[in-house]
Amino acid sequence: KKQALERITWFKEPSEILDDSNPPFFKWFKDGELNLSYNCLDRHLETDSDRVAFYWEGEPGDTQEITYRNLYERVCKLSNALKKLNVGKGDRVAIYLGMTPEIVVSMLACARIGAVHSVVFGGFAPDSLKNRIEDCESTVVITANEGLRGGKKIPLLSNVKKAVKDYDGLKKTVVVKRTDSSEFFDPKTDIWFSDLVDKQEKECKISEQNSEDPLFILYTSGSTGKPKG
């Protein structure tokens, strides 16, 4: 337990590690406050800002080497952009992307401001996407105009349009321009990721989360019934 605590940066130390006063409903670090985005990024900046956080290679062969500093700035800019869309602590953001750097940035940006993200597999059809968006009451969807997988283009934005056709809870769809296509993009409901993010500040204040606050919602496959979050 002590080693686990030493690996985590806390804003507020928990008064006790394990609350076992009401078994079997055990709670860990009940009154501690922390932030996953801070632990993944900020605490590395002083000594490792120029170290590569991860390497990315996509289709059709484009590559990126993303340092901790660069990733931190990308996350902060998207965090600020989400706040401009009135996304805050406890709000749900659906992430429907291929395996691109933006999926990492999106998850960490949500964590930074206390929003709850729900990653939906980019290969899912509109009905599966619809079930998850509606169930977790997403107010924003982050997607791409198209995905690239196995030499084929995946109509991500088109699928989102079909999924939210009868859903009234969506404020905005944020669209990464992965290919040259602008088909299905509607400026009334959609905004290009770069247009929203590029003009934002590179610093964003951390939302201090309680250790029991939700980070993400992950759904079962739905193969035996309605997907459960």
Side-chain angles (χ1 to χ4, degrees), residues 57-129:
E57 182 176 350
E59 293 186 40
D62 40 342
T63 62
Q64 293 184 37
E65 293 184 7
I66 301 173
T67 64
Y68 278 104
R69 168 60 64 180
N70 180 255
L71 184 57
Y72 167 83
E73 292 178 355
R74 291 193 195 191
V75 167
C76 285
K77 290 171 78 170
L78 179 56
S79 298
N80 288 324
L82 289 173
K83 289 197 288 187
K84 294 281 188 183
L85 298 179
N86 295 317
V87 176
K89 185 171 181 174
D91 291 329
R92 274 71 165 183
V93 176
I95 302 172
Y96 182 62
L97 285 166
M99 297 297 287
T100 62
E102 287 82 8
I103 196 169
V104 178
V105 172
S106 298
M107 289 188 286
L108 290 172
C110 288
R112 194 169 194 87
I113 62 174
V116 181
H117 69 265
S118 180
V119 174
V120 182
F121 171 49
F124 276 161
D127 283 346
S128 297
L129 177 61

Side-chain angles (χ1 to χ4, degrees), residues 57-218:
E57 182 176 350
E59 293 186 40
D62 40 342
T63 62
Q64 293 184 37
E65 293 184 7
I66 301 173
T67 64
Y68 278 104
R69 168 60 64 180
N70 180 255
L71 184 57
Y72 167 83
E73 292 178 355
R74 291 193 195 191
V75 167
C76 285
K77 290 171 78 170
L78 179 56
S79 298
N80 288 324
L82 289 173
K83 289 197 288 187
K84 294 281 188 183
L85 298 179
N86 295 317
V87 176
K89 185 171 181 174
D91 291 329
R92 274 71 165 183
V93 176
I95 302 172
Y96 182 62
L97 285 166
M99 297 297 287
T100 62
E102 287 82 8
I103 196 169
V104 178
V105 172
S106 298
M107 289 188 286
L108 290 172
C110 288
R112 194 169 194 87
I113 62 174
V116 181
H117 69 265
S118 180
V119 174
V120 182
F121 171 49
F124 276 161
D127 283 346
S128 297
L129 177 61
K130 172 185 170 71
N131 290 338
R132 290 157 174 80
I133 289 174
E134 292 184 351
D135 185 77
C136 73
E137 299 179 344
S138 298
T139 57
V140 168
V141 173
I142 301 176
T143 188
N145 58 340
E146 294 178 314
L148 299 171
R149 188 177 181 90
K152 297 180 180 179
K153 293 182 178 179
I154 312 300
L156 296 177
L157 183 56
S158 173
N159 289 346
V160 170
K161 296 296 182 180
K162 294 172 184 176
V164 303
K165 181 174 58 174
D166 301 316
Y167 178 61
D168 297 327
L170 197 66
K171 296 177 183 176
K172 192 68 72 173
T173 302
V174 181
V175 186
V176 177
K177 196 163 190 179
R178 185 73 182 96
T179 68
D180 292 333
S181 174
S182 296
E183 192 176 7
F184 305 110
F185 183 88
D186 182 353
K188 295 178 182 177
T189 57
D190 310 330
I191 185 166
W192 292 115
F193 186 97
S194 58
D195 290 345
L196 178 66
V197 170
D198 287 353
K199 56 192 175 185
Q200 303 298 330
E201 295 292 328
K202 296 179 181 179
E203 303 284 339
C204 177
K205 185 179 178 181
I206 284 286
S207 170
E208 296 180 14
Q209 300 294 105
N210 186 274
S211 58
E212 290 287 328
D213 287 340
L215 172 66
F216 62 86
I217 300 174
L218 182 65

